[in-house]
Amino acid sequence: DPQHYNAWYGIGQIYYKQEKYEMTEYHYRRALEINRNSSVLRCCLGKTLHKIGCTDEALELLDEAVGKDPKNAIAKYERAVVLFSIGHLVEALQELESLKDIAPREPNLFFLLGKTCKRLGRMDQAMAHFCVALDLKPSSADIGVIKSAIEKLKLPDDPNEDSL
């Protein structure tokens, strides 16, 4: 059924996992045409647009997603990721700090908080956030990334640094 937004969304999810972002974008846009009120669809499309370099539109969609559902932790996190990537570090930090109440056990949140604090020159806070991320039992692959970030705290910031 071409009017079944969930089917478009599901196919978009498959393309996203295959890193076929242009096809992902197409399917998410079709789903959003059908279900215009979905903050989840706006979030997914925003995340996809960020992957393909359409940062302004991604941020706009993520702003709309957060506006429609202020407790949508994924939309808030993805908005912080975009803000971080474009160098709006204070805004990213504010968004991430607000997320600590919503998702207090999310290692990715604390990892990004650590990276943001590092870029802002707040090394003690960065170390604290990286340590919290480790304490929250991330996956074994993520443990290596976090430990590497801790080791690099004394080095100048690398924009190509790993992310979780």
Side-chain angles (χ1 to χ4, degrees):
D1 179 8
Q3 288 301 309
H4 199 289
Y5 80 90
N6 220 14
W8 291 105
Y9 167 75
I11 294 169
Q13 288 285 85
I14 291 167
Y15 281 123
Y16 188 87
K17 289 179 186 199
Q18 295 174 344
E19 298 180 8
K20 296 179 180 176
Y21 301 121
E22 287 79 13
M23 291 300 295
T24 304
E25 176 189 1
Y26 172 78
H27 285 83
Y28 285 163
R29 283 192 190 280
R30 290 294 309 264
L32 195 55
E33 286 173 12
I34 298 165
N35 186 357
R36 293 217 164 268
N37 292 322
S38 174
S39 68
V40 172
L41 291 174
R42 288 178 194 290
C43 177
C44 290
L45 181 55
K47 182 178 175 180
T48 300
L49 290 170
H50 182 240
K51 287 279 189 187
I52 59 176
C54 300
T55 309
D56 291 340
E57 189 178 0
L59 194 54
E60 184 179 314
L61 280 163
L62 291 165
D63 286 344
E64 291 172 7
V66 171
K68 287 186 174 297
D69 183 5
K71 293 190 184 220
N72 183 336
I74 295 170
K76 291 173 81 68
Y77 177 80
E78 291 302 331
R79 183 175 183 276
V81 167
V82 173
L83 290 167
F84 177 86
S85 75
I86 60 175
H88 292 183
L89 302 177
V90 173
E91 285 180 74
L93 185 62
Q94 291 169 342
E95 191 76 81
L96 293 166
E97 288 290 344
S98 77
L99 270 170
K100 287 193 322 188
D101 293 332
I102 299 170
R105 307 231 5 104
E106 182 53 52
N108 292 343
L109 165 64
F110 287 93
F111 180 73
L112 187 55
L113 270 165
K115 285 177 56 174
T116 305
C117 286
K118 179 183 178 189
R119 284 233 184 122
L120 288 168
R122 302 174 186 177
M123 299 308 175
D124 290 343
Q125 287 179 325
M127 175 64 88
H129 290 306
F130 288 144
C131 289
V132 170
L134 278 176
D135 289 344
L136 292 174
K137 310 245 185 297
S139 72
S140 58
D142 291 345
I143 288 172
V145 173
I146 296 167
K147 285 183 177 179
S148 175
I150 290 171
E151 289 171 13
K152 294 177 183 176
L153 264 178
K154 300 294 182 209
L155 301 174
D157 198 38
D158 178 6
N160 298 320
E161 194 173 359
D162 292 330
S163 60
L164 296 184

Coordinates of all heavy atoms in Angstrom, one line a residue, residues 80-132:
A80 N 22.2 17.5 18.8 CA 23.5 17.8 19.5 C 24.6 17.3 18.6 O 25.6 18.0 18.5 CB 23.6 17.2 20.8
V81 N 24.5 16.2 17.9 CA 25.5 15.7 17.0 C 25.8 16.7 15.9 O 26.9 17.0 15.6 CB 25.2 14.3 16.5 CG1 26.1 13.9 15.3 CG2 25.2 13.2 17.6
V82 N 24.7 17.2 15.3 CA 24.8 18.1 14.2 C 25.4 19.4 14.7 O 26.3 20.0 14.1 CB 23.4 18.4 13.5 CG1 23.5 19.5 12.5 CG2 22.9 17.1 12.9
L83 N 24.9 19.9 15.8 CA 25.5 21.2 16.4 C 27.0 21.0 16.7 O 27.8 21.9 16.4 CB 24.7 21.5 17.7 CG 23.3 22.0 17.5 CD1 22.6 22.1 18.8 CD2 23.3 23.4 16.8
F84 N 27.4 19.9 17.2 CA 28.8 19.6 17.5 C 29.6 19.6 16.2 O 30.6 20.2 16.1 CB 28.9 18.2 18.2 CG 30.3 17.8 18.4 CD1 31.0 18.3 19.5 CD2 31.0 17.0 17.5 CE1 32.3 17.9 19.8 CE2 32.3 16.6 17.7 CZ 33.0 17.1 18.9
S85 N 29.0 19.0 15.1 CA 29.8 18.9 13.9 C 30.0 20.2 13.2 O 30.9 20.3 12.4 CB 29.0 17.9 12.9 OG 27.9 18.5 12.4
I86 N 29.1 21.2 13.4 CA 29.2 22.5 12.8 C 29.9 23.5 13.7 O 30.0 24.7 13.4 CB 27.9 23.0 12.2 CG1 26.8 23.2 13.3 CG2 27.4 22.1 11.1 CD1 25.5 23.8 12.9
G87 N 30.3 23.0 14.9 CA 31.1 23.9 15.8 C 30.3 24.7 16.7 O 30.8 25.6 17.4
H88 N 29.0 24.5 16.8 CA 28.1 25.2 17.8 C 28.2 24.4 19.1 O 27.2 23.8 19.5 CB 26.7 25.3 17.2 CG 26.6 26.1 16.0 ND1 25.4 26.4 15.4 CD2 27.5 26.8 15.3 CE1 25.5 27.2 14.4 NE2 26.8 27.4 14.3
L89 N 29.4 24.5 19.7 CA 29.7 23.7 20.9 C 28.9 24.0 22.1 O 28.4 23.1 22.8 CB 31.2 23.8 21.2 CG 32.1 23.3 20.0 CD1 33.5 23.5 20.4 CD2 31.8 21.9 19.6
V90 N 28.6 25.3 22.4 CA 27.9 25.7 23.5 C 26.4 25.2 23.4 O 25.9 24.6 24.4 CB 27.9 27.2 23.8 CG1 27.0 27.6 24.9 CG2 29.4 27.6 24.1
E91 N 25.8 25.3 22.2 CA 24.5 24.8 22.0 C 24.4 23.3 22.1 O 23.5 22.8 22.7 CB 24.0 25.2 20.6 CG 23.6 26.7 20.5 CD 23.1 27.0 19.0 OE1 22.0 26.5 18.7 OE2 23.9 27.6 18.3
A92 N 25.4 22.7 21.6 CA 25.5 21.2 21.7 C 25.6 20.8 23.1 O 24.9 19.8 23.6 CB 26.7 20.7 20.9
L93 N 26.4 21.5 23.9 CA 26.6 21.2 25.3 C 25.3 21.3 26.1 O 24.9 20.5 26.9 CB 27.7 22.0 25.9 CG 28.1 21.7 27.4 CD1 28.6 20.3 27.5 CD2 29.1 22.8 27.8
Q94 N 24.6 22.4 25.8 CA 23.3 22.6 26.4 C 22.3 21.5 26.1 O 21.6 21.0 27.0 CB 22.7 24.0 26.0 CG 23.5 25.2 26.5 CD 23.0 26.5 25.9 OE1 22.4 26.5 24.8 NE2 23.4 27.6 26.5
E95 N 22.2 21.1 24.9 CA 21.3 20.0 24.5 C 21.7 18.7 25.2 O 20.9 18.0 25.7 CB 21.4 19.8 23.0 CG 20.3 18.9 22.4 CD 18.9 19.6 22.4 OE1 18.7 20.4 21.4 OE2 18.1 19.4 23.3
L96 N 23.0 18.4 25.2 CA 23.5 17.2 25.8 C 23.2 17.2 27.4 O 22.8 16.2 27.9 CB 25.0 17.0 25.6 CG 25.3 16.7 24.1 CD1 26.8 16.9 23.8 CD2 24.8 15.3 23.7
E97 N 23.4 18.4 28.0 CA 23.2 18.5 29.4 C 21.7 18.2 29.7 O 21.4 17.6 30.7 CB 23.6 19.8 30.0 CG 25.1 20.0 30.0 CD 25.8 19.2 31.1 OE1 25.1 18.7 32.0 OE2 27.0 19.1 31.0
S98 N 20.8 18.7 28.9 CA 19.4 18.5 29.1 C 19.0 17.0 28.9 O 18.1 16.5 29.5 CB 18.6 19.4 28.1 OG 18.6 18.9 26.8
L99 N 19.8 16.3 28.1 CA 19.6 14.9 27.9 C 19.9 14.0 29.1 O 19.5 12.9 29.2 CB 20.3 14.4 26.7 CG 19.6 14.5 25.3 CD1 20.6 14.3 24.2 CD2 18.4 13.6 25.3
K100 N 20.8 14.5 29.9 CA 21.3 13.7 31.1 C 20.1 13.3 31.9 O 20.1 12.2 32.5 CB 22.3 14.4 31.9 CG 23.7 14.5 31.2 CD 24.8 14.9 32.0 CE 24.7 15.9 33.0 NZ 26.0 16.4 33.6
D101 N 19.1 14.1 32.0 CA 17.9 13.7 32.8 C 17.0 12.7 32.1 O 16.3 11.9 32.7 CB 17.0 15.0 33.1 CG 17.8 16.0 34.0 OD1 18.6 15.5 34.8 OD2 17.5 17.2 34.0
I102 N 17.0 12.8 30.8 CA 16.1 11.9 30.0 C 16.8 10.5 29.8 O 16.1 9.5 29.8 CB 15.8 12.5 28.6 CG1 15.1 13.9 28.8 CG2 15.0 11.6 27.7 CD1 14.9 14.7 27.5
A103 N 18.1 10.5 29.5 CA 18.8 9.3 29.2 C 20.1 9.2 30.1 O 21.2 9.2 29.5 CB 19.1 9.2 27.7
P104 N 19.9 9.0 31.4 CA 21.1 9.1 32.2 C 22.1 7.9 32.1 O 23.1 7.9 32.7 CB 20.5 9.1 33.6 CG 19.2 8.5 33.5 CD 18.7 8.8 32.1
R105 N 21.7 6.8 31.4 CA 22.5 5.6 31.4 C 23.0 5.4 29.9 O 23.3 4.2 29.6 CB 21.7 4.4 31.9 CG 21.2 4.7 33.3 CD 21.4 3.7 34.4 NE 22.3 2.6 34.1 CZ 23.5 2.5 34.6 NH1 24.1 3.4 35.2 NH2 24.2 1.4 34.4
E106 N 23.1 6.4 29.1 CA 23.5 6.2 27.7 C 24.9 6.6 27.5 O 25.3 7.8 27.6 CB 22.6 7.1 26.8 CG 22.9 7.0 25.4 CD 22.8 5.6 24.9 OE1 21.8 4.9 25.1 OE2 23.8 5.2 24.2
P107 N 25.8 5.6 27.3 CA 27.2 5.9 27.1 C 27.5 6.9 26.0 O 28.4 7.7 26.1 CB 27.9 4.5 26.8 CG 26.8 3.5 27.1 CD 25.5 4.2 27.2
N108 N 26.8 6.8 24.9 CA 27.0 7.7 23.7 C 26.9 9.2 24.1 O 27.6 10.0 23.7 CB 26.1 7.4 22.6 CG 26.4 6.1 21.9 OD1 27.5 5.5 22.1 ND2 25.5 5.6 21.1
L109 N 25.9 9.4 25.0 CA 25.6 10.8 25.5 C 26.8 11.3 26.2 O 27.3 12.4 25.9 CB 24.4 10.8 26.4 CG 24.2 12.0 27.2 CD1 23.9 13.2 26.4 CD2 23.0 11.8 28.2
F110 N 27.4 10.5 27.1 CA 28.5 11.0 27.9 C 29.8 11.0 27.1 O 30.6 11.9 27.3 CB 28.7 10.1 29.1 CG 27.6 10.4 30.2 CD1 26.4 9.7 30.2 CD2 27.7 11.4 31.1 CE1 25.4 9.9 31.1 CE2 26.7 11.7 32.0 CZ 25.6 11.0 32.0
F111 N 29.9 10.2 26.1 CA 31.1 10.3 25.2 C 31.0 11.6 24.4 O 32.0 12.3 24.3 CB 31.1 9.1 24.2 CG 32.2 9.1 23.3 CD1 33.5 8.8 23.7 CD2 32.0 9.4 21.9 CE1 34.6 8.9 22.8 CE2 33.1 9.5 21.1 CZ 34.4 9.2 21.5
L112 N 29.9 11.9 23.9 CA 29.8 13.2 23.1 C 29.9 14.4 24.1 O 30.5 15.4 23.7 CB 28.4 13.3 22.3 CG 28.3 14.4 21.4 CD1 29.5 14.5 20.4 CD2 27.0 14.4 20.6
L113 N 29.4 14.3 25.3 CA 29.7 15.3 26.3 C 31.2 15.5 26.5 O 31.7 16.6 26.6 CB 29.0 15.0 27.6 CG 27.6 15.5 27.8 CD1 26.9 14.8 29.0 CD2 27.5 17.0 28.0
G114 N 31.9 14.4 26.6 CA 33.3 14.5 26.8 C 34.0 15.1 25.6 O 34.9 16.0 25.8
K115 N 33.6 14.7 24.4 CA 34.2 15.3 23.2 C 33.9 16.8 23.1 O 34.8 17.6 22.7 CB 33.7 14.6 21.9 CG 34.3 13.3 21.7 CD 33.7 12.6 20.5 CE 33.8 13.4 19.2 NZ 33.4 12.6 18.0
T116 N 32.7 17.2 23.5 CA 32.3 18.6 23.4 C 33.1 19.4 24.5 O 33.6 20.5 24.2 CB 30.8 18.8 23.7 OG1 30.1 18.0 22.7 CG2 30.3 20.2 23.6
C117 N 33.2 18.9 25.7 CA 34.0 19.6 26.7 C 35.5 19.7 26.3 O 36.1 20.7 26.5 CB 33.9 18.9 28.0 SG 32.3 19.1 28.8
K118 N 36.0 18.7 25.7 CA 37.4 18.7 25.2 C 37.6 19.9 24.2 O 38.5 20.7 24.3 CB 37.8 17.4 24.6 CG 39.2 17.5 24.1 CD 39.7 16.2 23.3 CE 41.1 16.4 22.8 NZ 41.5 15.3 22.0
R119 N 36.7 20.0 23.2 CA 36.8 21.0 22.2 C 36.6 22.4 22.9 O 37.2 23.4 22.4 CB 35.7 20.9 21.2 CG 36.0 19.8 20.2 CD 36.0 20.3 18.7 NE 36.2 19.2 17.8 CZ 35.4 18.8 16.9 NH1 34.2 19.5 16.7 NH2 35.6 17.8 16.1
L120 N 35.9 22.5 24.0 CA 35.7 23.8 24.7 C 36.9 24.0 25.6 O 36.9 25.1 26.3 CB 34.4 23.8 25.5 CG 33.1 23.9 24.6 CD1 31.9 23.6 25.4 CD2 33.0 25.3 24.0
G121 N 37.8 23.1 25.7 CA 39.0 23.3 26.6 C 38.7 22.9 28.0 O 39.5 23.3 28.9
R122 N 37.6 22.3 28.3 CA 37.3 21.9 29.7 C 37.7 20.4 29.9 O 36.9 19.5 30.0 CB 35.8 22.0 29.9 CG 35.3 23.4 29.6 CD 33.8 23.5 29.7 NE 33.3 24.8 29.3 CZ 32.0 25.1 29.3 NH1 31.1 24.1 29.6 NH2 31.6 26.3 28.9
M123 N 39.0 20.2 30.0 CA 39.6 18.9 30.1 C 39.2 18.1 31.3 O 38.9 16.9 31.2 CB 41.1 19.0 30.0 CG 41.7 19.6 28.8 SD 41.0 18.9 27.3 CE 41.7 19.9 26.1
D124 N 39.0 18.7 32.5 CA 38.6 17.9 33.6 C 37.2 17.4 33.4 O 36.9 16.3 33.8 CB 38.7 18.8 34.9 CG 40.1 19.1 35.3 OD1 41.0 18.4 34.9 OD2 40.3 20.0 36.1
Q125 N 36.3 18.3 32.9 CA 34.9 17.8 32.6 C 34.9 16.7 31.6 O 34.1 15.8 31.7 CB 34.1 19.0 32.2 CG 33.7 19.9 33.3 CD 32.9 21.1 32.8 OE1 33.1 21.6 31.7 NE2 32.0 21.6 33.7
A126 N 35.7 16.9 30.5 CA 35.8 15.9 29.5 C 36.2 14.5 30.1 O 35.6 13.5 29.8 CB 36.8 16.3 28.4
M127 N 37.2 14.5 30.9 CA 37.7 13.3 31.5 C 36.6 12.7 32.4 O 36.3 11.5 32.3 CB 38.9 13.6 32.4 CG 39.4 12.3 33.2 SD 39.9 11.0 32.1 CE 41.6 11.5 32.0
A128 N 35.9 13.5 33.1 CA 34.8 13.0 33.9 C 33.7 12.3 33.1 O 33.2 11.2 33.4 CB 34.2 14.1 34.8
H129 N 33.3 13.0 32.0 CA 32.3 12.4 31.1 C 32.8 11.1 30.4 O 32.0 10.2 30.3 CB 31.9 13.5 30.0 CG 31.1 14.6 30.6 ND1 29.9 14.4 31.4 CD2 31.3 15.9 30.5 CE1 29.5 15.6 31.8 NE2 30.2 16.5 31.3
F130 N 34.0 11.1 30.0 CA 34.5 9.9 29.4 C 34.5 8.7 30.4 O 34.2 7.6 30.0 CB 36.0 10.1 28.9 CG 36.1 10.9 27.6 CD1 37.1 11.8 27.4 CD2 35.1 10.8 26.6 CE1 37.3 12.5 26.3 CE2 35.2 11.6 25.4 CZ 36.3 12.5 25.3
C131 N 34.8 9.0 31.6 CA 34.8 8.0 32.7 C 33.4 7.5 32.9 O 33.2 6.3 33.1 CB 35.5 8.5 34.0 SG 37.3 8.7 33.8
V132 N 32.4 8.4 33.0 CA 31.1 8.0 33.1 C 30.6 7.1 32.0 O 30.0 6.1 32.2 CB 30.1 9.2 33.2 CG1 28.6 8.8 33.2 CG2 30.4 10.0 34.5

